Amino acid sequence: MMATTTRTDEPRDGASRCNRCLKVTTNNCGGCSGAPAYDKSPVRRVFYCDRNCQKADWDEHKTECRDLQSRKALRRAGIVLKAAMCQIRKNAYPLPVMAVQNGAEQITLKVSGGKGVGLAQRLHPFPAILQDDAGLLEAVLLYESSAESMVYLCNLVRALLDGLYTSILEVDVFPTSCKLRISATTETDTPKDLSHYVYKIALKNKETWVLDITGAQHGYPDTLFPWSEYTQERCGKINRQRSLGFYRNQPKYLLNETQRGAEGSAMAEERALAQALDTEIPKWGAEYGGKFTSLLKSSEVDFQAAKDRFLDQVEAHVQFSLARIFPNDGSKAVQPSSQAVQVKQDKTRTPTHKSRLYCIKAIPGKGQGMVATANITRGTRILSESPIFRVPRDEHNYHTLERIIGREVERLSRDRSERFFALHNTHGNNHSPALGTARTNALPLGPDAAEGGIFLESSRINHSCRQNAQNTWNANLGKITIHAVRDIKEGEEITISYLANSENHAVRQSRLRDTFHFACACELCALPVMLRRQSDRRLDRIARLDGQIGDGVHIVSTPLSCLRDAHELLRLLEEEGIGDARLARVYYDALQIAIAHGDQARARVFAQRAYAARVVVEGEDSPDAARVRKYAERPAAHRLFGTTMKWRQAVTKIPLGLKGDEFENWLWKKAKGRLSS
Ligand SMILES: C[S@@+](CC[C@H](N)C(=O)[O-])C[C@H]1O[C@@H](n2cnc3c(N)ncnc32)[C@H](O)[C@@H]1O
């Protein structure tokens, strides 16, 4: 798996020539890169070797660049609007969904009977099902939502696209070629949307596009299409074209309480929520100096951060508005603070993007990286994330890998595919961009797992040999979790270790250079020589002890020496400042030594410590934490229990009167500072 370097004057994959001086470069024009193609004409990618060439070439490039920038802004508007609509529906779903059954191309929602639901219960929070499949969740959230989206989003569309368009129409189409069908089963018949509503947008550059915000329900997660492509490929018939705001202002939405009837009151609720959200638009826009469109125009990383911030604000205001519109449904209207993102340090909770503890930004000498946006205490879950796809780790045939990864990449939505290709690729032209990017970014899905996962955020975390965070695959959640293994200060880079074991400086450097193509300059690698030698000696000893303790024969035949090794290992880990899962593993080893010889008292204490250490670095929902907890409750459940009964002792023998060193001496079987048999 070693990369080779080639010297050539031809541009490598992902590189081209500067538009001005023709030097080979990989720097895209940041303004227009990522713009979508229009009517199947490929987009010319423009490169500049530096700012000077870019400035000097501006007169030549500006018309093309501005046209492409409006397309790119439109694509991003589609992403933001769809996410906002999902956010609204997560909190205000018109069906009480109990379960979701997922067939190949057919999804069935099991909903509870709709009879007798009152005004306050009509809009339901969406249950926490499907949370591991973002695409499916999105499709279900958007089920039968296209008319509703016209009501909720029309003023947001106007504000976001201000200055980009010459006209926006609300178009009622009859969709064909749906790739996905969703239906709901209920005691009462759910009315079906016969039409599908999209925005037809004429840009100032004379291109006409479709924004289909809710197409994911039909299996089309992308939101932006050239008008001609959309009408040819996606819809059989265009029913009506109306001006922007038509559906929002329909007379039936304006009926009063007594005139509404059942259908009218549902619409009135939607309208009330839409109005409540509209009142926030100027405030949201104020963050961008009143030009909401600016949210769409920054670099990719800044756009993602701004989008997430905006979605937090949308969610906070949907919840606040619902509580105000339905004051009797038990929830309280709590005015969200002007900063929707409030960070609380709570060790056990998993932050959603509502309380994002990090941002992704450029790190000198490392490309992009993850940085703490608040002080984070040890044990905090910084994030959890599903992979966008998985890659085999034990497949060494690059042609096979290429095929597997190519298939996965093809299945991604356009947005995800672009974000995937925006990840770092350290393999240059040794592989195709897809294989190179996948190999650079795959994180293991378990300690010896046959698969790795590609993550849009976690894959941005850089390495440190003295890392402050740990990545763990949580099979229960189907997500990777990142936990702080040390206290992390606001502004500090969040790092994980790319290496599985405790290795000395030379071995670490050579592994990182061969596999990840960088020379590590972390605080451990940058220690003065004397301190580095001390650290290396400790790490070598840690590796040796770790190997010895893992030997089952040693546990059975020389348990006391094994326990001594475990105790020394623990001390060395502490001296070396290592606070990750290796601590939990030593306590687990000690548990195995004790229980294999019938000592349930010590086994319980070791299991409790292993559990506590596991929870800190993986969380209470970690399968490993749950497994160890079981042994803390009943040590005799361990499969090694009673291999011998040399140390036989019941759990009741934990000495309650001992404290501090005395207790430790008992635990590690040390008599007067020495280990006893
Ligand atoms: C999974 S990516 C991490 C995110 C990456 N920095 C980016 O810009 O997206 C792995 C690559 O990041 C870079 N990297 C990670 N840790 C680094 C470090 N400590 N020093 C320098 N480069 C590092 C290396 O190029 C490595 O191959």
Side-chain angles (χ1 to χ4, degrees), residues 23-51:
K23 249 193 238 153
V24 174
T25 176
T26 52
N27 303 329
N28 288 309
C29 167
C32 59
S33 76
Y38 184 68
D39 280 352
K40 312 219 156 122
S41 333
V43 177
R44 188 173 82 93
R45 294 176 71 198
V46 175
F47 292 78
Y48 290 109
C49 60
D50 62 19
R51 276 223 155 274

PDB file of all heavy atoms in Angstrom, residues 23-51:
ATOM      1  N   LYS A  23       1.299  27.771 -15.812  1.00  0.00           N
ATOM      2  CA  LYS A  23       2.028  26.890 -14.877  1.00  0.00           C
ATOM      3  C   LYS A  23       1.092  25.782 -14.392  1.00  0.00           C
ATOM      4  O   LYS A  23      -0.112  26.030 -14.245  1.00  0.00           O
ATOM      5  CB  LYS A  23       2.445  27.703 -13.643  1.00  0.00           C
ATOM      6  CG  LYS A  23       3.927  27.935 -13.539  1.00  0.00           C
ATOM      7  CD  LYS A  23       4.282  28.459 -12.176  1.00  0.00           C
ATOM      8  CE  LYS A  23       4.991  29.788 -12.288  1.00  0.00           C
ATOM      9  NZ  LYS A  23       4.849  30.646 -11.153  1.00  0.00           N
ATOM     10  N   VAL A  24       1.652  24.580 -14.089  1.00  0.00           N
ATOM     11  CA  VAL A  24       0.810  23.499 -13.555  1.00  0.00           C
ATOM     12  C   VAL A  24       0.392  23.855 -12.125  1.00  0.00           C
ATOM     13  O   VAL A  24       1.220  24.288 -11.328  1.00  0.00           O
ATOM     14  CB  VAL A  24       1.575  22.162 -13.557  1.00  0.00           C
ATOM     15  CG1 VAL A  24       0.761  21.071 -12.874  1.00  0.00           C
ATOM     16  CG2 VAL A  24       1.914  21.751 -14.982  1.00  0.00           C
ATOM     17  N   THR A  25      -0.874  23.705 -11.829  1.00  0.00           N
ATOM     18  CA  THR A  25      -1.360  24.044 -10.485  1.00  0.00           C
ATOM     19  C   THR A  25      -2.610  23.243 -10.149  1.00  0.00           C
ATOM     20  O   THR A  25      -3.274  22.734 -11.044  1.00  0.00           O
ATOM     21  CB  THR A  25      -1.688  25.557 -10.384  1.00  0.00           C
ATOM     22  OG1 THR A  25      -2.246  25.809  -9.107  1.00  0.00           O
ATOM     23  CG2 THR A  25      -2.693  26.000 -11.433  1.00  0.00           C
ATOM     24  N   THR A  26      -2.880  23.128  -8.868  1.00  0.00           N
ATOM     25  CA  THR A  26      -4.130  22.450  -8.462  1.00  0.00           C
ATOM     26  C   THR A  26      -5.139  23.448  -7.898  1.00  0.00           C
ATOM     27  O   THR A  26      -6.202  23.063  -7.420  1.00  0.00           O
ATOM     28  CB  THR A  26      -3.855  21.408  -7.360  1.00  0.00           C
ATOM     29  OG1 THR A  26      -3.134  22.041  -6.327  1.00  0.00           O
ATOM     30  CG2 THR A  26      -3.108  20.208  -7.870  1.00  0.00           C
ATOM     31  N   ASN A  27      -4.821  24.765  -7.939  1.00  0.00           N
ATOM     32  CA  ASN A  27      -5.736  25.751  -7.321  1.00  0.00           C
ATOM     33  C   ASN A  27      -6.857  26.157  -8.276  1.00  0.00           C
ATOM     34  O   ASN A  27      -6.618  26.847  -9.271  1.00  0.00           O
ATOM     35  CB  ASN A  27      -4.973  27.034  -6.941  1.00  0.00           C
ATOM     36  CG  ASN A  27      -3.824  26.723  -6.011  1.00  0.00           C
ATOM     37  OD1 ASN A  27      -3.904  25.786  -5.233  1.00  0.00           O
ATOM     38  ND2 ASN A  27      -2.758  27.493  -6.112  1.00  0.00           N
ATOM     39  N   ASN A  28      -8.059  25.738  -7.946  1.00  0.00           N
ATOM     40  CA  ASN A  28      -9.223  26.161  -8.743  1.00  0.00           C
ATOM     41  C   ASN A  28      -9.508  27.624  -8.510  1.00  0.00           C
ATOM     42  O   ASN A  28      -9.196  28.159  -7.458  1.00  0.00           O
ATOM     43  CB  ASN A  28     -10.486  25.453  -8.245  1.00  0.00           C
ATOM     44  CG  ASN A  28     -10.487  24.018  -8.625  1.00  0.00           C
ATOM     45  OD1 ASN A  28     -10.285  23.702  -9.770  1.00  0.00           O
ATOM     46  ND2 ASN A  28     -10.705  23.145  -7.643  1.00  0.00           N
ATOM     47  N   CYS A  29     -10.218  28.245  -9.422  1.00  0.00           N
ATOM     48  CA  CYS A  29     -10.786  29.567  -9.147  1.00  0.00           C
ATOM     49  C   CYS A  29     -11.880  29.329  -8.097  1.00  0.00           C
ATOM     50  O   CYS A  29     -12.868  28.637  -8.366  1.00  0.00           O
ATOM     51  CB  CYS A  29     -11.377  30.168 -10.407  1.00  0.00           C
ATOM     52  SG  CYS A  29     -12.396  31.614 -10.040  1.00  0.00           S
ATOM     53  N   GLY A  30     -11.678  29.855  -6.898  1.00  0.00           N
ATOM     54  CA  GLY A  30     -12.600  29.567  -5.785  1.00  0.00           C
ATOM     55  C   GLY A  30     -14.010  30.056  -6.071  1.00  0.00           C
ATOM     56  O   GLY A  30     -14.989  29.487  -5.599  1.00  0.00           O
ATOM     57  N   GLY A  31     -14.144  31.111  -6.873  1.00  0.00           N
ATOM     58  CA  GLY A  31     -15.468  31.682  -7.121  1.00  0.00           C
ATOM     59  C   GLY A  31     -16.369  30.728  -7.883  1.00  0.00           C
ATOM     60  O   GLY A  31     -17.515  30.490  -7.506  1.00  0.00           O
ATOM     61  N   CYS A  32     -15.848  30.123  -8.962  1.00  0.00           N
ATOM     62  CA  CYS A  32     -16.755  29.351  -9.818  1.00  0.00           C
ATOM     63  C   CYS A  32     -16.556  27.847  -9.703  1.00  0.00           C
ATOM     64  O   CYS A  32     -17.343  27.088 -10.276  1.00  0.00           O
ATOM     65  CB  CYS A  32     -16.629  29.801 -11.270  1.00  0.00           C
ATOM     66  SG  CYS A  32     -14.978  29.644 -11.944  1.00  0.00           S
ATOM     67  N   SER A  33     -15.524  27.383  -8.958  1.00  0.00           N
ATOM     68  CA  SER A  33     -15.347  25.929  -8.915  1.00  0.00           C
ATOM     69  C   SER A  33     -16.548  25.296  -8.205  1.00  0.00           C
ATOM     70  O   SER A  33     -17.074  25.864  -7.255  1.00  0.00           O
ATOM     71  CB  SER A  33     -14.053  25.554  -8.192  1.00  0.00           C
ATOM     72  OG  SER A  33     -14.229  25.704  -6.823  1.00  0.00           O
ATOM     73  N   GLY A  34     -16.991  24.186  -8.727  1.00  0.00           N
ATOM     74  CA  GLY A  34     -18.146  23.502  -8.124  1.00  0.00           C
ATOM     75  C   GLY A  34     -19.465  23.933  -8.743  1.00  0.00           C
ATOM     76  O   GLY A  34     -20.524  23.489  -8.304  1.00  0.00           O
ATOM     77  N   ALA A  35     -19.419  24.790  -9.775  1.00  0.00           N
ATOM     78  CA  ALA A  35     -20.685  25.188 -10.420  1.00  0.00           C
ATOM     79  C   ALA A  35     -21.219  24.023 -11.255  1.00  0.00           C
ATOM     80  O   ALA A  35     -20.432  23.312 -11.887  1.00  0.00           O
ATOM     81  CB  ALA A  35     -20.458  26.398 -11.311  1.00  0.00           C
ATOM     82  N   PRO A  36     -22.538  23.803 -11.249  1.00  0.00           N
ATOM     83  CA  PRO A  36     -23.067  22.670 -12.021  1.00  0.00           C
ATOM     84  C   PRO A  36     -23.112  22.959 -13.524  1.00  0.00           C
ATOM     85  O   PRO A  36     -23.100  24.120 -13.937  1.00  0.00           O
ATOM     86  CB  PRO A  36     -24.493  22.523 -11.469  1.00  0.00           C
ATOM     87  CG  PRO A  36     -24.835  23.854 -10.915  1.00  0.00           C
ATOM     88  CD  PRO A  36     -23.564  24.511 -10.495  1.00  0.00           C
ATOM     89  N   ALA A  37     -23.163  21.889 -14.321  1.00  0.00           N
ATOM     90  CA  ALA A  37     -23.248  22.044 -15.780  1.00  0.00           C
ATOM     91  C   ALA A  37     -24.677  22.421 -16.169  1.00  0.00           C
ATOM     92  O   ALA A  37     -25.632  22.059 -15.488  1.00  0.00           O
ATOM     93  CB  ALA A  37     -22.863  20.736 -16.440  1.00  0.00           C
ATOM     94  N   TYR A  38     -24.794  23.156 -17.259  1.00  0.00           N
ATOM     95  CA  TYR A  38     -26.128  23.554 -17.727  1.00  0.00           C
ATOM     96  C   TYR A  38     -26.372  22.916 -19.083  1.00  0.00           C
ATOM     97  O   TYR A  38     -25.512  22.972 -19.976  1.00  0.00           O
ATOM     98  CB  TYR A  38     -26.176  25.083 -17.852  1.00  0.00           C
ATOM     99  CG  TYR A  38     -27.541  25.610 -18.244  1.00  0.00           C
ATOM    100  CD1 TYR A  38     -28.611  25.519 -17.367  1.00  0.00           C
ATOM    101  CD2 TYR A  38     -27.742  26.211 -19.485  1.00  0.00           C
ATOM    102  CE1 TYR A  38     -29.863  25.996 -17.718  1.00  0.00           C
ATOM    103  CE2 TYR A  38     -28.992  26.695 -19.842  1.00  0.00           C
ATOM    104  CZ  TYR A  38     -30.044  26.589 -18.959  1.00  0.00           C
ATOM    105  OH  TYR A  38     -31.278  27.065 -19.303  1.00  0.00           O
ATOM    106  N   ASP A  39     -27.530  22.305 -19.239  1.00  0.00           N
ATOM    107  CA  ASP A  39     -27.900  21.668 -20.499  1.00  0.00           C
ATOM    108  C   ASP A  39     -26.779  20.814 -21.086  1.00  0.00           C
ATOM    109  O   ASP A  39     -26.439  20.907 -22.261  1.00  0.00           O
ATOM    110  CB  ASP A  39     -28.353  22.733 -21.507  1.00  0.00           C
ATOM    111  CG  ASP A  39     -29.799  23.129 -21.215  1.00  0.00           C
ATOM    112  OD1 ASP A  39     -30.439  22.464 -20.363  1.00  0.00           O
ATOM    113  OD2 ASP A  39     -30.276  24.086 -21.811  1.00  0.00           O
ATOM    114  N   LYS A  40     -26.199  20.003 -20.210  1.00  0.00           N
ATOM    115  CA  LYS A  40     -25.214  18.986 -20.598  1.00  0.00           C
ATOM    116  C   LYS A  40     -23.924  19.562 -21.178  1.00  0.00           C
ATOM    117  O   LYS A  40     -23.091  18.825 -21.680  1.00  0.00           O
ATOM    118  CB  LYS A  40     -25.829  17.959 -21.563  1.00  0.00           C
ATOM    119  CG  LYS A  40     -27.167  17.438 -21.061  1.00  0.00           C
ATOM    120  CD  LYS A  40     -27.370  15.965 -21.304  1.00  0.00           C
ATOM    121  CE  LYS A  40     -28.370  15.416 -20.322  1.00  0.00           C
ATOM    122  NZ  LYS A  40     -29.521  14.802 -20.767  1.00  0.00           N
ATOM    123  N   SER A  41     -23.745  20.902 -21.193  1.00  0.00           N
ATOM    124  CA  SER A  41     -22.432  21.411 -21.647  1.00  0.00           C
ATOM    125  C   SER A  41     -21.509  21.384 -20.439  1.00  0.00           C
ATOM    126  O   SER A  41     -21.847  21.958 -19.397  1.00  0.00           O
ATOM    127  CB  SER A  41     -22.504  22.859 -22.118  1.00  0.00           C
ATOM    128  OG  SER A  41     -23.780  23.133 -22.570  1.00  0.00           O
ATOM    129  N   PRO A  42     -20.360  20.709 -20.578  1.00  0.00           N
ATOM    130  CA  PRO A  42     -19.469  20.606 -19.417  1.00  0.00           C
ATOM    131  C   PRO A  42     -18.971  21.984 -18.967  1.00  0.00           C
ATOM    132  O   PRO A  42     -18.875  22.911 -19.779  1.00  0.00           O
ATOM    133  CB  PRO A  42     -18.313  19.758 -19.932  1.00  0.00           C
ATOM    134  CG  PRO A  42     -18.469  19.665 -21.397  1.00  0.00           C
ATOM    135  CD  PRO A  42     -19.852  20.079 -21.783  1.00  0.00           C
ATOM    136  N   VAL A  43     -18.690  22.085 -17.672  1.00  0.00           N
ATOM    137  CA  VAL A  43     -18.208  23.358 -17.139  1.00  0.00           C
ATOM    138  C   VAL A  43     -16.686  23.396 -17.271  1.00  0.00           C
ATOM    139  O   VAL A  43     -16.012  22.438 -16.900  1.00  0.00           O
ATOM    140  CB  VAL A  43     -18.568  23.472 -15.636  1.00  0.00           C
ATOM    141  CG1 VAL A  43     -18.020  24.761 -15.051  1.00  0.00           C
ATOM    142  CG2 VAL A  43     -20.066  23.397 -15.460  1.00  0.00           C
ATOM    143  N   ARG A  44     -16.188  24.471 -17.830  1.00  0.00           N
ATOM    144  CA  ARG A  44     -14.728  24.608 -17.942  1.00  0.00           C
ATOM    145  C   ARG A  44     -14.174  24.919 -16.550  1.00  0.00           C
ATOM    146  O   ARG A  44     -14.661  25.838 -15.876  1.00  0.00           O
ATOM    147  CB  ARG A  44     -14.411  25.764 -18.888  1.00  0.00           C
ATOM    148  CG  ARG A  44     -12.944  25.881 -19.243  1.00  0.00           C
ATOM    149  CD  ARG A  44     -12.754  26.946 -20.306  1.00  0.00           C
ATOM    150  NE  ARG A  44     -12.710  28.288 -19.738  1.00  0.00           N
ATOM    151  CZ  ARG A  44     -11.605  28.919 -19.379  1.00  0.00           C
ATOM    152  NH1 ARG A  44     -10.442  28.317 -19.507  1.00  0.00           N
ATOM    153  NH2 ARG A  44     -11.644  30.143 -18.880  1.00  0.00           N
ATOM    154  N   ARG A  45     -13.190  24.129 -16.098  1.00  0.00           N
ATOM    155  CA  ARG A  45     -12.616  24.406 -14.784  1.00  0.00           C
ATOM    156  C   ARG A  45     -11.447  25.362 -14.950  1.00  0.00           C
ATOM    157  O   ARG A  45     -10.594  25.161 -15.811  1.00  0.00           O
ATOM    158  CB  ARG A  45     -12.166  23.102 -14.125  1.00  0.00           C
ATOM    159  CG  ARG A  45     -13.340  22.214 -13.804  1.00  0.00           C
ATOM    160  CD  ARG A  45     -12.872  20.903 -13.239  1.00  0.00           C
ATOM    161  NE  ARG A  45     -12.326  21.068 -11.897  1.00  0.00           N
ATOM    162  CZ  ARG A  45     -11.536  20.163 -11.311  1.00  0.00           C
ATOM    163  NH1 ARG A  45     -11.190  19.086 -11.950  1.00  0.00           N
ATOM    164  NH2 ARG A  45     -11.097  20.373 -10.090  1.00  0.00           N
ATOM    165  N   VAL A  46     -11.439  26.394 -14.141  1.00  0.00           N
ATOM    166  CA  VAL A  46     -10.417  27.435 -14.291  1.00  0.00           C
ATOM    167  C   VAL A  46      -9.468  27.392 -13.092  1.00  0.00           C
ATOM    168  O   VAL A  46      -9.906  27.295 -11.952  1.00  0.00           O
ATOM    169  CB  VAL A  46     -11.111  28.814 -14.405  1.00  0.00           C
ATOM    170  CG1 VAL A  46     -10.080  29.934 -14.438  1.00  0.00           C
ATOM    171  CG2 VAL A  46     -11.959  28.833 -15.669  1.00  0.00           C
ATOM    172  N   PHE A  47      -8.157  27.438 -13.403  1.00  0.00           N
ATOM    173  CA  PHE A  47      -7.130  27.316 -12.350  1.00  0.00           C
ATOM    174  C   PHE A  47      -6.234  28.560 -12.360  1.00  0.00           C
ATOM    175  O   PHE A  47      -6.005  29.162 -13.411  1.00  0.00           O
ATOM    176  CB  PHE A  47      -6.243  26.092 -12.623  1.00  0.00           C
ATOM    177  CG  PHE A  47      -6.964  24.784 -12.469  1.00  0.00           C
ATOM    178  CD1 PHE A  47      -7.814  24.297 -13.459  1.00  0.00           C
ATOM    179  CD2 PHE A  47      -6.793  24.023 -11.324  1.00  0.00           C
ATOM    180  CE1 PHE A  47      -8.473  23.093 -13.310  1.00  0.00           C
ATOM    181  CE2 PHE A  47      -7.450  22.805 -11.159  1.00  0.00           C
ATOM    182  CZ  PHE A  47      -8.287  22.347 -12.149  1.00  0.00           C
ATOM    183  N   TYR A  48      -5.727  28.896 -11.164  1.00  0.00           N
ATOM    184  CA  TYR A  48      -4.717  29.959 -11.082  1.00  0.00           C
ATOM    185  C   TYR A  48      -3.598  29.504 -10.167  1.00  0.00           C
ATOM    186  O   TYR A  48      -3.863  28.919  -9.114  1.00  0.00           O
ATOM    187  CB  TYR A  48      -5.331  31.249 -10.529  1.00  0.00           C
ATOM    188  CG  TYR A  48      -6.290  31.876 -11.520  1.00  0.00           C
ATOM    189  CD1 TYR A  48      -7.656  31.864 -11.285  1.00  0.00           C
ATOM    190  CD2 TYR A  48      -5.797  32.444 -12.686  1.00  0.00           C
ATOM    191  CE1 TYR A  48      -8.531  32.404 -12.198  1.00  0.00           C
ATOM    192  CE2 TYR A  48      -6.682  32.988 -13.617  1.00  0.00           C
ATOM    193  CZ  TYR A  48      -8.037  32.961 -13.372  1.00  0.00           C
ATOM    194  OH  TYR A  48      -8.890  33.480 -14.291  1.00  0.00           O
ATOM    195  N   CYS A  49      -2.353  29.819 -10.553  1.00  0.00           N
ATOM    196  CA  CYS A  49      -1.249  29.372  -9.703  1.00  0.00           C
ATOM    197  C   CYS A  49      -1.153  30.249  -8.459  1.00  0.00           C
ATOM    198  O   CYS A  49      -0.722  29.781  -7.412  1.00  0.00           O
ATOM    199  CB  CYS A  49       0.061  29.362 -10.460  1.00  0.00           C
ATOM    200  SG  CYS A  49       0.492  30.972 -11.077  1.00  0.00           S
ATOM    201  N   ASP A  50      -1.544  31.534  -8.545  1.00  0.00           N
ATOM    202  CA  ASP A  50      -1.537  32.370  -7.343  1.00  0.00           C
ATOM    203  C   ASP A  50      -2.505  33.543  -7.515  1.00  0.00           C
ATOM    204  O   ASP A  50      -3.123  33.716  -8.573  1.00  0.00           O
ATOM    205  CB  ASP A  50      -0.117  32.853  -7.009  1.00  0.00           C
ATOM    206  CG  ASP A  50       0.484  33.713  -8.113  1.00  0.00           C
ATOM    207  OD1 ASP A  50      -0.284  34.238  -8.940  1.00  0.00           O
ATOM    208  OD2 ASP A  50       1.718  33.839  -8.149  1.00  0.00           O
ATOM    209  N   ARG A  51      -2.604  34.349  -6.461  1.00  0.00           N
ATOM    210  CA  ARG A  51      -3.558  35.474  -6.442  1.00  0.00           C
ATOM    211  C   ARG A  51      -3.252  36.500  -7.529  1.00  0.00           C
ATOM    212  O   ARG A  51      -4.147  37.092  -8.120  1.00  0.00           O
ATOM    213  CB  ARG A  51      -3.503  36.177  -5.084  1.00  0.00           C
ATOM    214  CG  ARG A  51      -4.353  35.548  -4.027  1.00  0.00           C
ATOM    215  CD  ARG A  51      -5.090  36.643  -3.229  1.00  0.00           C
ATOM    216  NE  ARG A  51      -6.321  36.117  -2.628  1.00  0.00           N
ATOM    217  CZ  ARG A  51      -7.494  36.055  -3.249  1.00  0.00           C
ATOM    218  NH1 ARG A  51      -7.636  36.480  -4.474  1.00  0.00           N
ATOM    219  NH2 ARG A  51      -8.555  35.556  -2.642  1.00  0.00           N
TER     220      ARG A  51
END
